[in-house]
């Protein structure tokens, strides 16, 4: 659905104009749409939605940094899942069935962020960042490709900072390697885009027991995304994938995130008693959870 929608930018621009009179209450979507409709919220969107052509370009850059060419994506997934398996075999802290590797595409991330409404100086955090694809993508999606670079004080990017945190050491090492590869690609082929790229930091940490460094990042974060499909039985209540409650994660984020933070949970629910205001749902396509996943937006009170 995402791909189909993005093939009709002219039609969606017309819809965007009509939808500037946004619904002030919860808007539950039946299909995934560009963020210009601002699916989740009635708050003004300061930054325009990402152009489909730019999304395609950033997707290609991220795929190149990950080494996703042909069947290489399947091999990368296998190595990533091996890192998770090795961690769980050698570390007694997570339950044996707690972690499952999966990830969203850059195209899906763009749809989610556009729907949330990215604002100037937003700080992005991917909770369970895995191979780092979403962190790399978020650092470039809102880079201003029209910025001539004359003003050194202007970063040319609505994203002020992009963080990723993961509990699996092997995945953090892999994501940092992918980050280095992306920087080399940008330096060789996209130096102008690199000038507008948001800063990236990928760190090892446990969101349930944040150290001082991670807690500082949580304080800064204005948009947090968690692909909760990977948080399986031991951390969830309920059997429905989209309806699962995540009490452990909910309490951790309630204590860690600052008021006003926008939190997007894919295939999971936070507890509104933990000071999270439910805003709305968005259906998204994800190969790991066919036929679809549900992204739920909350505002931290």
């Amino acid at each position: 659905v995402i791909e189909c929608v993005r093939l009709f930018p002219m039609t969606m621009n017309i819809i965007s104009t009509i939808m500037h009179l946004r619904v002030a209450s919860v808007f539950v979507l039946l299909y995934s749409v560009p963020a210009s409709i601002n699916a989740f919220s009635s708050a003004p969107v300061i930054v325009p939605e990402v152009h489909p052509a730019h999304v395609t370009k950033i997707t290609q850059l991220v795929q190149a940094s990950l080494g996703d060419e042909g069947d290489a994506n399947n091999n990368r997934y296998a190595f990533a899942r091996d890192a998770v398996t090795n961690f769980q075999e050698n570390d007694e802290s997570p339950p044996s069935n707690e972690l499952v590797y999966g990830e969203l595409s850059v195209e899906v991330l763009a749809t989610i962020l556009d729907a949330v409404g990215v604002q100037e100086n937003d700080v992005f955090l991917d909770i369970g960042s895995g191979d780092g694809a979403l962190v790399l993508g978020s650092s470039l999606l809102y880079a201003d490709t029209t910025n001539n670079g004359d003003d050194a004080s202007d970063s040319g990017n609505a994203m002020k900072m992009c963080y990723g945190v993961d509990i699996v050491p092997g995945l953090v090492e892999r994501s940092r390697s992918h980050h280095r590869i992306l920087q080399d690609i940008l330096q060789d082929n996209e130096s102008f885009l690199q000038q507008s790229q948001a800063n990236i930091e990928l760190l090892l940490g446990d969101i349930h027991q944040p150290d001082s460094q991670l807690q500082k990042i949580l304080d800064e974060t204005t948009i947090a995304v968690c692909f909760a499909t990977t948080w399986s039985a031991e951390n969830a209540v309920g059997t429905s994938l989209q309806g699962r409650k995540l009490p452990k994660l909910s309490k951790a984020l309630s204590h860690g995130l600052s008021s006003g933070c926008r939190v997007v949970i894919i295939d999971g629910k936070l507890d509104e008693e933990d000071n999270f205001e439910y805003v709305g749902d968005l259906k998204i396509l994800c190969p790991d959870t066919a036929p679809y996943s549900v992204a739920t937006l909350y505002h931290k009170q």
Side-chain angles (χ1 to χ4, degrees), residues 44-56:
V45 179
I46 298 176
V47 180
E49 73 272 11
V50 185
H51 192 280
H54 185 64
V55 174
T56 299

Side-chain angles (χ1 to χ4, degrees), residues 79-91:
F79 288 130
R81 285 167 176 160
D82 284 346
V84 173
T85 300
N86 293 336
F87 168 67
Q88 294 190 127
E89 289 177 350
N90 298 320
D91 191 303

Side-chain angles (χ1 to χ4, degrees), residues 233 236-241 243-245:
V237 176
T239 56
S240 170
L241 185 61
R244 299 176 312 151
K245 295 181 180 179

Side-chain angles (χ1 to χ4, degrees), residues 206-234:
D206 184 351
I207 198 70
H208 299 124
Q209 296 178 320
D211 58 16
S212 58
Q213 181 185 16
L214 180 52
Q215 183 54 60
K216 182 179 179 181
I217 290 171
L218 289 169
D219 289 340
E220 293 178 35
T221 298
T222 59
I223 299 178
V225 173
C226 178
F227 186 23
T229 307
T230 64
W231 301 62
S232 57
E234 295 290 340

Side-chain angles (χ1 to χ4, degrees), residues 14-23 27 36-37:
I14 296 172
I15 296 175
S16 173
T17 302
I18 297 172
M19 292 302 295
H20 279 163
L21 297 175
R22 297 184 175 94
V23 180
F27 183 16
S36 55
I37 299 179

Side-chain angles (χ1 to χ4, degrees), residues 45-280:
V45 179
I46 298 176
V47 180
E49 73 272 11
V50 185
H51 192 280
H54 185 64
V55 174
T56 299
K57 180 176 183 177
I58 302 308
T59 298
Q60 293 170 346
L61 288 170
V62 171
Q63 287 176 338
S65 70
L66 298 176
D68 286 351
E69 297 177 357
D71 294 332
N73 178 264
N74 294 331
N75 293 331
R76 179 174 66 82
Y77 257 52
F79 288 130
R81 285 167 176 160
D82 284 346
V84 173
T85 300
N86 293 336
F87 168 67
Q88 294 190 127
E89 289 177 350
N90 298 320
D91 191 303
E92 297 179 356
S93 57
S96 60
N97 64 343
E98 174 76 7
L99 302 174
V100 179
Y101 188 80
E103 64 184 40
L104 299 175
S105 67
V106 174
E107 295 97 327
V108 170
L109 175 66
T111 299
I112 290 173
L113 292 179
D114 282 348
V116 168
V118 170
Q119 301 176 9
E120 294 291 346
N121 295 316
D122 265 333
V123 175
F124 175 83
L125 172 63
D126 183 8
I127 300 169
S129 49
D131 268 358
L134 298 194
V135 182
L136 303 183
S138 64
S139 74
L140 293 169
L141 280 172
Y142 292 88
D144 182 4
T145 56
T146 64
N147 183 14
N148 59 22
D150 291 338
D151 185 359
S153 65
D154 185 2
S155 67
N157 197 319
M159 288 290 186
K160 179 181 179 181
M161 188 76 191
C162 297
Y163 293 105
V165 59
D166 206 291
I167 196 174
V168 180
L171 292 179
V172 176
E173 292 174 8
R174 288 170 56 82
S175 66
R176 290 172 177 170
S177 175
H178 296 147
H179 179 208
R180 289 191 292 270
I181 294 171
L182 176 63
Q183 299 312 113
D184 290 341
I185 293 172
L186 292 175
Q187 184 173 355
D188 292 341
N189 304 294
E190 299 286 349
S191 58
F192 177 77
L193 186 59
Q194 188 177 38
Q195 293 175 9
S196 298
Q197 182 186 21
N199 290 327
I200 289 174
E201 185 172 347
L202 298 152
L203 68 151
L204 180 68
D206 184 351
I207 198 70
H208 299 124
Q209 296 178 320
D211 58 16
S212 58
Q213 181 185 16
L214 180 52
Q215 183 54 60
K216 182 179 179 181
I217 290 171
L218 289 169
D219 289 340
E220 293 178 35
T221 298
T222 59
I223 299 178
V225 173
C226 178
F227 186 23
T229 307
T230 64
W231 301 62
S232 57
E234 295 290 340
N235 190 46
V237 176
T239 56
S240 170
L241 185 61
Q242 288 81 24
R244 299 176 312 151
K245 295 181 180 179
L246 303 169
K248 189 177 178 183
L249 178 63
S250 182
K251 291 189 180 300
L253 296 182
S254 177
H255 289 123
L257 295 172
S258 298
S259 176
C261 181
R262 290 152 285 165
V263 186
V264 180
I265 306 295
I266 292 87
D267 293 337
K269 302 296 182 184
L270 301 181
D271 192 338
E272 293 183 57
E273 293 185 0
D274 290 328
N275 294 319
F276 289 106
E277 178 190 5
Y278 168 77
V279 179

